[in-house]
């Protein structure tokens, strides 16, 4: 009975393994994927992993852009609200200032004139009658 010969190179390193018995007859024949086939599979797996990683990064970038847009919109809204508040406060301050000036002017005038009495346009005289008996 024939026995297989001892291999010189590991069968895993070869594309095709043919084992012969001592009489030169083929005892076993195994075909492995070629190194080139393995390299293509390895490269395909790398491309797949890189494509997945790129998709994840693009998703993260898209989310960051959306977050930035939301933050910018909120900032603009807050600035608009602040500007509106500043305008309202400024208007009220001007009103108060005007009222104080008017009050100061009224305090410097005689009592009747301060209320708009005692002065008649175009120099007409005002007659007052006493209602006392």
């Amino acid at each position: 009975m024939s026995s297989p010969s001892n291999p010189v190179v590991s069968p895993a390193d070869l594309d095709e393994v043919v084992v012969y018995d001592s009489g030169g007859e083929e005892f076993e024949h195994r075909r492995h994927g070629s190194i080139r086939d393995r390299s293509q599979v390895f490269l395909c797996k790398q491309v797949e992993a890189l494509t997945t990683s790129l998709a994840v990064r693009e998703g993260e970038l898209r989310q960051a852009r959306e977050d930035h847009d939301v933050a910018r919109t909120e900032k603009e809204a807050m600035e608009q609200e602040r500007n509106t508040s500043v305008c309202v406060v400024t208007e009220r301050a001007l009103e108060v200032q005007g009222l104080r000036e008017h009050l100061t002017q009224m305090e410097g005038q005689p009592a009747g004139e301060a209320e708009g009495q005692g002065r008649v346009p175009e120099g007409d005289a005002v007659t007052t009658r006493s209602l006392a008996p």
Side-chain angles (χ1 to χ4, degrees):
M1 188 166 176
S2 305
S3 64
S5 61
N6 292 328
V8 178
V9 181
S10 169
D13 294 336
L14 303 173
D15 292 340
E16 185 174 3
V17 177
V18 180
V19 180
Y20 297 94
D21 63 17
S22 57
E25 302 263 340
E26 185 177 309
F27 179 78
E28 184 179 355
H29 189 114
R30 282 185 262 153
R31 189 171 195 72
H32 296 289
S34 70
I35 291 174
R36 187 168 47 178
D37 288 344
R38 276 183 253 156
S39 295
Q40 286 169 340
V41 168
F42 177 73
L43 291 175
C44 286
K45 295 289 184 184
Q46 280 188 322
V47 168
E48 184 178 317
L50 290 172
T51 303
T52 301
S53 177
L54 179 61
V56 168
R57 297 285 186 220
E58 286 175 341
E60 291 172 349
L61 180 60
R62 188 178 317 108
Q63 184 63 45
R65 284 183 178 152
E66 289 173 4
D67 291 347
H68 180 264
D69 290 345
V70 167
R72 184 177 50 210
T73 302
E74 289 175 354
K75 179 183 174 192
E76 289 171 356
M78 289 170 51
E79 286 176 352
Q80 180 65 31
E81 185 177 329
R82 185 199 68 205
N83 290 341
T84 301
S85 296
V86 167
C87 287
V88 168
V89 168
T90 302
E91 288 175 3
R92 287 183 182 164
L94 290 173
E95 287 175 11
V96 168
Q97 182 181 1
L99 290 172
R100 283 186 180 154
E101 289 174 0
H102 184 68
L103 181 61
T104 302
Q105 289 174 357
M106 288 175 46
E107 288 175 348
Q109 297 176 355
E113 291 182 14
E115 296 174 9
Q117 298 174 0
R119 293 185 354 188
V120 178
E122 299 163 21
D124 291 344
V126 175
T127 47
T128 56
R129 293 191 307 185
S130 175
L131 298 175

